[in-house]
Amino acid sequence: MVKKLVDTQPKQVLLLAPDLLGQSLSTQLSSDNPYFQVTCSPNSLKKHPSLIIWSLESLESSTFINNELRLLKSKWFPSPILLLLPSKLTNKSID
């Protein structure tokens, strides 16, 4: 007989976003699915996050974004990272 091990612990999501947007998204994500614990502060995490959501306000420097992504990947590996991009993208805004 084979038993399946099911993780019944809530999944923690780290949300990196500006204050108002972060609070709004956190509330929406948490209320839509109580199985998620969404936090905007890495210090509030009780374990490694299951997902990192990073909301970018602008794309002023692709070098900065690449560097930050590398740091996030190395610090939170193997957690996947979801980027939320600004609605208006222009060629001028990227290096």
Side-chain angles (χ1 to χ4, degrees):
M1 177 178 203
V2 177
K3 288 186 179 182
K4 289 186 179 181
L5 297 177
V6 178
D7 186 7
T8 58
Q9 296 294 320
K11 301 293 182 188
Q12 290 196 307
V13 176
L14 177 58
L15 177 60
L16 305 173
D19 288 339
L20 232 72
L21 177 62
Q23 291 171 0
S24 175
L25 284 174
S26 176
T27 301
Q28 288 176 351
L29 291 170
S30 297
S31 65
D32 286 348
N33 189 342
Y35 190 65
F36 291 136
Q37 291 180 341
V38 182
T39 181
C40 295
S41 169
N43 296 333
S44 300
L45 293 170
K46 295 176 183 146
K47 59 182 182 177
H48 217 66
S50 298
L51 174 66
I52 299 165
I53 302 173
W54 181 23
S55 176
L56 298 171
E57 290 185 83
S58 66
L59 296 176
E60 294 175 9
S61 169
S62 62
T63 304
F64 169 77
I65 294 168
N66 283 329
N67 289 339
E68 286 298 310
L69 269 175
R70 280 190 204 102
L71 288 172
L72 286 172
K73 285 179 183 179
S74 66
K75 181 173 183 172
W76 299 111
F77 180 83
S79 300
I81 301 170
L82 172 65
L83 290 179
L84 301 180
L85 302 174
S87 60
K88 294 182 181 181
L89 297 175
T90 61
N91 289 335
K92 288 192 288 184
S93 64
I94 299 176
D95 289 345

